[in-house]
Amino acid sequence: MNYFTGFKLHNARWLLLVVLLQICSWQQAFAQEGTTISGVVISQTDQEAVIGASVVVQGTTRGTVTDVEGNFSLQLEEGDQTLEVSYVGYKPAIITIGNQSTFKVELEENVQQLDELVVVGYGVQKKKDLTGSIATIDSENLKSVPSANPTDALQGKVSGVQVVQQGQPGTAPVIRIRGVGTTGNANPLYVVDGMLLDDISYLSAQDIKSMQVLKDASATAIYGSRGANGVIIITTKEGKKGSNTVNYSGYAGIQNVQRRIDMVNGSQYATLANELTTNNGGTDLPFPDVNNVADTDWFDEIFQVAPIQNHQLTFSGGNDNTLYNVSLSYFKQDGVVKNSSYDRIALRINNTYQMADWFKVGHNIQFSYITEDLAPGNVVQNAYMMAPTDVPTNPDGSFKASSTNVANPAAQLFYESNNRTRRLWTVGTVFAEATIAKDFRLKTNVGWEINGSTNRNFVPQYFVSPTQQNLASRLTVSNNIFTSYLWENTLSYYKEFNEKHQLSAVVGVTVQNFRSESLTGGRLNVPSGSEDLWYLDAGDLDGQTNSNNASESSLFSYLGRANYTLLDRYLLTASLRVDGSSRFGTNNRFAAFPSVALGWRVSEESFWKDNISFVSNFKLRGSYGQIGNDKIGDYASQATISTGFDYSTGTPANRRPGATAIDLANPNLVWETVEQYNVGFEIGFLQQRLTTEFDYYGRTSRDLLVNIPVPSNAGFDAQQTVNLGEVENKGIDLSINWEDSKGDFNYRAGATFSTVNNKVNQLGTAIPIINGPLNFGGYQASITRVGDAIGSFYGYEVIGVNQDADDLANFPQAPNAKIGDLRFRDQDNNNVIDDADRVIIGNPTPSMIFGLTLGFGYKGLDFSMDWAGQAGNDIYNGKKQVRPDLVNFESSFLNRWTGPGTSTTEPLVENSGASFNVSDRFVEDGSFFRLNNVTVGYTFNSELTERVFIKKLRIYASGTNLVTFTDYSGFNPEIISSNPIATGIDLGTYPVPSVYTMGVDITF
C-alpha cells in the first residue's frame, strides 16, 4: 500500500474504478482499427502525474483514463480531431490532434471547485461546506506584487478588506477588515502554520501556499479575543511525495516616485513671499527681483530611482516517510528617499516525518536576519516646506543654511542617516499528530516568535545654522527583544453516517505568553570616524542616559467547534472559545465568545436540480457570534507608579526622589466585545465558470477600552483605562469571478466591491467626546462623538472670502479676521464665529472599496492586470495648514485672493491668522482608482526545456503602482494611522513608489 500513498486517489473504490476503466479501454483499443495515440497527463503546478484523468474524443463517448503514471493510449477513428482531458479539481483541456501521435497534457488547477479544501481555524473544510465568510488567495496572486510584505498583494483582491501600502521599505501595510470597530488597536490577527502573530514582515510571498481571510464571527470566533479585527490564516508550502524539485525564482527592478506634490517654483514663491510681507504690513520685500532667484526642486534632492531585488532557492520533495521544503531567500529594497533601505535574508525549513501509519511529527521554522536603514524621520516634510529660492550648498561645497526655520534636507540626509536597525527574527512551530482511535486525531503544537533587534543611531557634530546643528556627537543604542510562546492541544473528530450525515468537531486548550523588554543608552562626544567606534564606551560619562523596561502578559483558552452536514446540503457550525487574559483584573479575567452559523445548499435540492441546470451551485448562509478584544496595555487594570518626580524639602532645600501614580487601577475592567451578524449567498453558473459571493454584515463593538484622563481635582496627572461606548459598522461585500478556456486560450475576470458605514452609537457620560491627538492652531483636527464616524474631521465650514470692508462688517467673523481672510458659516446664527460653529467637515473612512482583476493565457503566454480603489473618504491636508515660517507653497496658493472679486475660495497669502483655523479648506477628496499591477509572462514549452533538465521555465515583466487617478494633491491618497482617531491626516508621508521588475522562475 505504501506505493500508492502519494497518489491523488485516496479511496480504494476509486482505484478499482480506474483499473476497470483502464481494462475496458484496452479492450476497446484491441477491438478497433485505426491510428493509436498515446500521451501523459500531468499537473501544471507540480508536474506530477494525474491519475484517473478522463481522455475523451470530443463529441463522442469514446475515451480512456490515465494510469498510475498518468499515461494513456487511445485508438482513433476517421474524423476524430479533438481530445477533451478532464479531472476533478482541474480545468478541462481541449487538445487538437492534428498529425501528432504523442501528447503531453498539463492540467491547470481549478481553484473554483467546490471540493477545494479551505483552511479554517484549527482545521480545514470543503468550500461547499463553509458557513462563514472566508476569502482565499493563492500563491500566484501573492507573488505578483514585489514587496517585503506579502499582504500588500491583497489590495483590491478581497472584498471587505482595506489594504493601505506604506512607502518606507520594510514597513507593513495597514489592514482593516470590515472597517474600524475600536478606538484602539484595529489590526487583524495573523496565523502562520498555527502560530498566532501580529506581524508577518519576516515572511516571503514565495513561501506561501495559500492565504485565507476570515471576516465574520462564524469564522473568527474560534480565535476569541484575538479575532475581533478579523483573522488572516497563512499556510506555507510543504513537500510532496514523489516529486523532488529545485526551484529558483527571482526578480530585479527599479522604483521611482509615482506622483509628486505640485509646488510653486522659485519665481512664484518669491512673488507670494513678497505679497505675504506686504499683507503683514512690511515694506522691505525679501525678493526685489522675483525673476532672478534660484529654483531648487527639493524633492530632487531627497528622492532617487532606487533598485529592488529578490532571489529565492527552494528544495522540495519527499517520499512515504518524509516530506521536505527548504527555502533560502534574499530580499533587498532601497528606498525612493535617499539613505533608506531594507534587507532580509531568510531560511525556511518545513518538514513532516511519518513515524508510523498513525503518527507523524513536523516543523515549520523560519530564521530571518533583517537590516533596516532609516532616513531622517521628517526629511520629506522638510523638502515639502523648504523654499525653492534656497540652494543645497554654498560655493565651497558646505551645506547652505535655510532662509527659514526649516532644516536643509540635503544636510539632514548627510548628517542624520546613520540610523540602522539589525533584527534577528525567528518564528516557528513544532507539532505531533496521532490517530489515537478510529475517527479521532490528537495534535499538539508548540510555537514561538523571538524578535530581537538592536538600533544604533549616530549623529556627528555639525553646524549648518543656529537652528540646524549638533554641538556634540551623539550615539543612542537600543536593544529590544520580544518573545511569544504558544502551546496548543487539540482533539479532532470526523465521521460520516450512512452517507447522509457528516460530523466534524474539534476541542482544545491553548496557552500563549508574551514578553517584551528594552534597554536604551546614550552618550555624547563619541568619535565620528569609523562605524567600528560607535559604541557607548567610546563616549563621555557626563551626560549619559539610560533606561530599561519590560512588560509581560499571557492568555489561557479553551476552544471548541462542531460542523454538521445533513444530506450534503443542510449545514450547521457552532463554536465557543473561553479566554482568560492577565491584562484584566481578577474580577473579569475570563470571558466566553460563542458563534453559530447555518447554511443551505439549495442547488442540491431535487426541485432545483431538475429545473435550474445552468446554476451549478447556490448556497445561503448566515451567522451570529461574539469576539473579544484585549488589545490594551499589559497592566491596564492595575495602578502604575512612575519615578523621576523629585521634590525639595527642608531649609536649606534638599532634593529627594519622588514617585507618583500615572495609571489608576481598574479591577472592574471588562473585555471589549464585538458582536457580528452576517447573511449571504454563494452562487455559481455554468459549471462554476461564473461565481458570485455576497454578504451583508453588521458589526457592533461594545465596552470600548479607552484611556481617559483623571480629573484635575485628583491632585495629580494620571489616566485610567475604562470601558465606554459602542461603535457600529454595517455594509456589504460582493465578489464576482469569471473563468473559462477555449482551446489553448484561457481568460478570467474578477471584481470586488465593499461598503462600510462606521458610526459611534454611544460614549460614556463622563467623556461625551474624544478629541483627536493632533492639534492645529489650538484645535484638534479630528473628533470621535456619538452619531459620527470614528476620527471624523471637525472644524469650520468655509463659505467664502472677505472681499471688502462691507463683508468684514456684515458677516460673522472669526477673531482677528481681516479683508482677504476666509469667512466661516455661523452654524448657530448668533453672529459670532466660535467653537460652537465647528461641525463635521470630513470622514476618513472610505464608504466603498473596490478592485478589478483581468487576465488571460495563450499557450505559453500569460497576462494579468489588477486595479484597486476606494471612494467616499476625505483627507485632511495638515501639511498645508502647518506654517511655522515663510515655507514653500502648494500651487493652489496661486489662486489666492489679491483684491475684490479675485477669489472666493483661496484667501490672501499669509502664514497665520483666521484662514489657518481647522476648516474644510484643508479637506480634500481621498477617492482614487489605481492600476496596481500589470504582469506579462511567458512559459517555455516543457518539451523544449526538458532537454536541458528544466521542468519549467517562465520569464516575466511586471509593473506595480503604475498610475493613480485621484483629485488628492499629496503623494498618496491613502493616509492611515495605527491610531484610528488619527487616520486620514496628512502631515507628510513617505511616497509609495512605482516598481518595474523583470523576473524568472525555473524549476529543475
Side-chain angles (χ1 to χ4, degrees):
M1 290 297 294
N2 288 338
Y3 180 77
F4 296 97
T5 304
F7 292 156
K8 296 185 179 295
L9 297 179
H10 302 293
N11 188 294
R13 291 174 297 177
W14 284 104
L15 184 57
L16 178 60
L17 178 60
V18 170
V19 174
L20 291 174
L21 289 173
Q22 187 65 55
I23 293 173
C24 292
S25 69
W26 290 337
Q27 290 175 340
Q28 183 185 29
F30 283 114
Q32 296 175 346
E33 296 180 357
T35 303
T36 299
I37 62 172
S38 61
V40 63
V41 180
I42 63 175
S43 167
Q44 185 185 84
T45 303
D46 54 24
Q47 303 293 298
E48 289 186 353
V50 178
I51 307 161
S54 173
V55 183
V56 178
V57 177
Q58 194 174 43
T60 75
T61 58
R62 292 182 287 108
T64 184
V65 293
T66 56
D67 62 17
V68 293
E69 294 180 350
N71 296 317
F72 70 89
S73 177
L74 181 62
Q75 188 165 351
L76 302 179
E77 295 181 358
E78 185 177 354
D80 292 343
Q81 298 179 353
T82 308
L83 298 177
E84 183 173 351
V85 184
S86 61
Y87 184 73
V88 175
Y90 292 86
K91 299 176 183 177
I94 307 299
I95 307 299
T96 301
I97 297 173
N99 296 323
Q100 287 182 263
S101 60
T102 60
F103 298 84
K104 182 178 181 180
V105 182
E106 295 187 3
L107 292 183
E108 182 181 354
E109 288 188 6
N110 187 352
V111 298
Q112 300 294 343
Q113 288 290 337
L114 297 177
D115 285 335
E116 173 195 359
L117 291 179
V118 176
V119 179
V120 297
Y122 303 97
V124 296
Q125 281 184 268
K126 291 181 180 179
K127 181 174 176 58
K128 66 180 182 180
D129 295 334
L130 288 177
T131 55
S133 181
I134 299 177
T136 299
I137 304 296
D138 62 22
S139 59
E140 294 304 316
N141 280 315
L142 295 172
K143 292 191 297 184
S144 63
V145 176
S147 173
N149 193 296
T151 52
D152 274 327
L154 289 178
Q155 189 174 50
K157 294 186 174 73
V158 180
S159 62
V161 179
Q162 181 188 13
V163 180
V164 181
Q165 301 180 42
Q166 307 294 295
Q168 173 75 36
T171 303
V174 178
I175 295 181
R176 298 287 182 257
I177 298 177
R178 291 184 167 178
V180 174
T182 179
T183 56
N185 189 329
N187 297 328
L189 169 71
Y190 299 94
V191 182
V192 181
D193 295 326
M195 183 61 193
L196 279 61
L197 306 163
D198 292 322
D199 187 6
I200 59 167
S201 297
Y202 71 92
L203 190 60
S204 168
Q206 283 76 15
D207 281 323
I208 296 177
K209 178 182 178 182
S210 67
M211 183 182 293
Q212 275 77 32
V213 181
L214 282 55
K215 297 184 284 186
D216 73 332
S218 173
T220 63
I222 194 70
Y223 289 105
S225 63
R226 305 294 301 277
N229 301 313
V231 180
I232 298 177
I233 299 180
I234 294 171
T235 303
T236 60
K237 294 178 180 178
E238 57 189 8
K240 296 182 179 180
K241 293 180 182 179
S243 175
N244 296 295
T245 63
V246 178
N247 175 265
Y248 165 79
S249 62
Y251 60 78
I254 59 171
Q255 313 159 88
N256 62 15
V257 177
Q258 178 193 136
R259 57 199 308 269
R260 295 192 180 189
I261 301 172
D262 190 10
M263 310 296 294
V264 301
N265 60 31
S267 177
Q268 292 167 335
Y269 173 84
T271 300
L272 294 175
N274 285 344
E275 284 185 23
L276 187 148
T277 300
T278 302
N279 292 337
N280 288 337
T283 57
D284 188 12
L285 300 181
F287 298 99
D289 184 359
V290 298
N291 295 314
N292 187 24
V293 295
D295 185 14
T296 302
D297 187 333
W298 284 100
F299 290 143
D300 284 344
E301 299 299 319
I302 67 166
F303 292 152
Q304 64 179 356
V305 175
I308 183 173
Q309 59 179 306
N310 182 74
H311 309 276
Q312 179 154 325
L313 190 63
T314 303
F315 304 86
S316 178
N319 53 36
D320 290 340
N321 299 318
T322 303
L323 301 178
Y324 68 92
N325 186 285
V326 180
S327 66
L328 179 64
S329 63
Y330 173 67
F331 176 86
K332 178 174 174 59
Q333 181 182 16
D334 287 354
V336 291
V337 175
K338 296 176 181 178
N339 298 340
S340 61
S341 66
Y342 180 87
D343 292 48
R344 181 182 66 211
I345 300 174
L347 172 66
R348 186 165 193 87
I349 307 172
N350 287 7
N351 287 11
T352 301
Y353 309 95
Q354 194 73 43
M355 311 302 292
D357 291 342
W358 59 274
F359 182 64
K360 66 179 179 180
V361 298
H363 54 74
N364 303 277
I365 304 172
Q366 178 159 330
F367 303 92
S368 298
Y369 181 72
I370 298 169
T371 302
E372 186 174 9
D373 289 316
L374 297 178
N378 59 346
V379 70
V380 176
Q381 294 93 311
N382 286 339
Y384 168 86
M385 292 189 293
M386 192 74 170
T389 51
D390 286 338
V391 295
T393 57
N394 295 303
D396 62 359
S398 61
F399 289 104
K400 184 173 178 59
S402 168
S403 62
T404 66
N405 286 327
V406 178
N408 182 331
Q412 268 191 293
L413 288 172
F414 184 81
Y415 291 118
E416 299 179 12
S417 292
N418 300 308
N419 186 359
R420 172 170 292 178
T421 298
R422 292 183 173 92
R423 185 186 312 275
L424 183 59
W425 197 347
T426 176
V427 178
T429 56
V430 175
F431 68 89
E433 185 176 301
T435 302
I436 59 174
K438 186 179 181 181
D439 306 322
F440 286 92
R441 189 173 71 251
L442 179 65
K443 183 177 182 179
T444 184
N445 182 71
V446 176
W448 67 88
E449 177 187 7
I450 304 174
N451 188 343
S453 65
T454 296
N455 174 265
R456 197 174 298 273
N457 187 4
F458 176 77
V459 181
Q461 179 183 3
Y462 71 88
F463 180 88
V464 177
S465 70
T467 58
Q468 187 178 5
Q469 62 175 318
N470 187 43
L471 298 179
S473 63
R474 180 178 70 252
L475 174 67
T476 304
V477 179
S478 177
N479 290 332
N480 301 276
I481 185 167
F482 171 81
T483 59
S484 174
Y485 298 100
L486 173 72
W487 186 24
E488 297 183 326
N489 296 278
T490 58
L491 178 64
S492 302
Y493 173 79
Y494 178 80
K495 182 70 173 180
E496 293 187 17
F497 305 90
N498 303 322
E499 298 184 355
K500 295 182 179 180
H501 311 273
Q502 295 178 15
L503 176 64
S504 64
V506 61
V507 294
V509 178
T510 80
V511 61
Q512 189 167 10
N513 176 266
F514 312 88
R515 190 178 191 279
S516 61
E517 182 175 353
S518 67
L519 174 64
T520 302
R523 294 274 184 99
L524 299 177
N525 294 319
V526 174
S528 299
S530 170
E531 185 177 349
D532 294 336
L533 301 176
W534 294 349
Y535 291 90
L536 295 178
D537 281 356
D540 292 344
L541 289 174
D542 294 340
Q544 65 177 327
T545 60
N546 59 77
S547 64
N548 184 211
N549 61 77
S551 65
E552 187 170 7
S553 64
S554 59
L555 276 169
F556 183 82
S557 308
Y558 304 96
L559 62 93
R561 181 185 59 231
N563 298 95
Y564 173 67
T565 302
L566 174 62
L567 299 174
D568 204 32
R569 53 185 178 270
Y570 307 115
L571 313 171
L572 169 66
T573 300
S575 67
L576 175 68
R577 180 157 177 147
V578 178
D579 278 337
S581 174
S582 65
R583 291 174 172 173
F584 295 94
T586 55
N587 296 356
N588 299 294
R589 183 150 292 173
F590 282 86
F593 306 105
S595 77
V596 63
L598 297 172
W600 179 23
R601 297 189 63 208
V602 185
S603 55
E604 292 302 302
E605 298 286 0
S606 59
F607 69 82
W608 188 281
K609 287 184 176 180
D610 296 338
N611 297 286
I612 313 178
S613 59
F614 68 92
V615 177
S616 49
N617 176 55
F618 181 38
K619 180 171 66 176
L620 299 173
R621 49 181 169 78
S623 67
Y624 171 82
Q626 294 182 342
I627 313 100
N629 188 359
D630 71 338
K631 292 183 178 180
I632 53 177
D634 288 342
Y635 309 106
S637 66
Q638 305 174 39
T640 304
I641 307 298
S642 178
T643 59
F645 295 89
D646 296 351
Y647 63 99
S648 299
T649 61
T651 304
N654 292 317
R655 187 184 182 99
R656 300 183 182 276
T660 187
I662 58 173
D663 294 299
L664 298 188
N666 185 358
N668 297 316
L669 198 65
V670 300
W671 295 72
E672 183 174 306
T673 302
V674 181
E675 292 186 359
Q676 291 192 53
Y677 64 84
N678 188 97
V679 292
F681 64 81
E682 301 171 15
I683 187 166
F685 302 90
L686 306 173
Q687 284 72 52
Q688 296 301 102
R689 283 178 294 202
L690 175 62
T691 59
T692 298
E693 293 192 25
F694 173 86
D695 289 282
Y696 175 76
Y697 68 88
R699 171 183 172 189
T700 303
S701 302
R702 294 188 172 90
D703 295 323
L704 302 184
L705 294 164
V706 179
N707 291 327
I708 63 171
V710 174
S712 57
N713 57 16
F716 54 91
D717 186 15
Q719 63 180 8
Q720 186 179 39
T721 303
V722 299
N723 296 104
L724 59 87
E726 178 181 295
V727 175
E728 179 183 64
N729 286 286
K730 290 183 178 180
I732 63 170
D733 294 342
L734 175 66
S735 63
I736 303 174
N737 291 282
W738 170 268
E739 195 165 358
D740 196 12
S741 61
K742 300 293 183 182
D744 292 328
F745 180 77
N746 63 81
Y747 61 102
R748 66 186 186 277
T752 61
F753 177 81
S754 308
T755 67
V756 60
N757 179 26
N758 177 262
K759 184 176 69 172
V760 179
N761 287 338
Q762 65 180 48
L763 290 171
T765 56
I767 307 293
I769 292 176
I770 302 174
N771 284 318
L774 300 176
N775 187 291
F776 303 103
Y779 297 103
Q780 279 84 9
S782 65
I783 194 171
T784 299
R785 68 180 187 183
V786 173
D788 300 307
I790 291 177
S792 296
F793 304 141
Y794 187 63
Y796 297 107
E797 181 183 353
V798 176
I799 59 173
V801 175
N802 291 321
Q803 300 294 323
D804 49 34
D806 288 342
D807 283 355
L808 198 63
N810 296 328
F811 291 97
Q813 300 291 338
N816 303 317
K818 55 184 179 296
I819 298 173
D821 278 349
L822 292 179
R823 193 166 65 244
F824 304 120
R825 186 177 301 281
D826 182 15
Q827 303 289 346
D828 56 5
N829 297 315
N830 65 352
N831 290 320
V832 176
I833 300 298
D834 54 19
D835 284 357
D837 297 307
R838 299 175 68 199
V839 295
I840 300 298
I841 56 176
N843 184 351
T845 302
S847 58
M848 293 184 291
I849 304 170
F850 43 87
L852 177 65
T853 300
L854 304 170
F856 71 83
Y858 179 71
K859 295 186 177 180
L861 180 68
D862 62 87
F863 171 84
S864 65
M865 175 187 293
D866 298 330
W867 295 79
Q870 65 186 36
N873 66 298
D874 300 302
I875 297 173
Y876 193 84
N877 192 348
K879 63 185 185 302
K880 181 178 178 180
Q881 182 186 16
V882 177
R883 316 285 304 171
D885 203 340
L886 186 53
V887 298
N888 201 7
F889 303 92
E890 292 188 21
S891 59
S892 61
F893 281 80
L894 297 176
N895 300 320
R896 68 209 178 276
W897 181 92
T898 56
T902 54
S903 175
T904 60
T905 57
E906 192 71 24
L908 83 169
V909 181
E910 55 186 343
N911 262 16
S912 61
S915 295
F916 285 90
N917 286 331
V918 176
S919 72
D920 58 8
R921 174 193 181 189
F922 305 105
V923 176
E924 300 184 38
D925 184 4
S927 303
F928 74 90
F929 191 45
R930 173 184 294 140
L931 179 54
N932 251 8
N933 180 265
V934 173
T935 299
V936 179
Y938 184 79
T939 301
F940 289 86
N941 189 300
S942 58
E943 292 183 358
L944 176 65
T945 60
E946 284 179 353
R947 297 176 184 176
V948 289
F949 309 103
I950 296 176
K951 293 183 179 180
K952 181 180 179 182
L953 171 60
R954 178 177 181 263
I955 59 174
Y956 63 92
S958 176
T960 303
N961 294 326
L962 294 176
V963 61
T964 301
F965 300 96
T966 182
D967 290 333
Y968 181 56
S969 62
F971 291 123
N972 181 28
E974 297 176 282
I975 307 296
I976 201 166
S977 171
S978 58
N979 180 358
I981 297 176
T983 287
I985 299 176
D986 186 359
L987 294 175
T989 61
Y990 196 114
V992 176
S994 295
V995 186
Y996 307 89
T997 60
M998 296 189 68
V1000 63
D1001 193 336
I1002 309 175
T1003 300
F1004 298 93

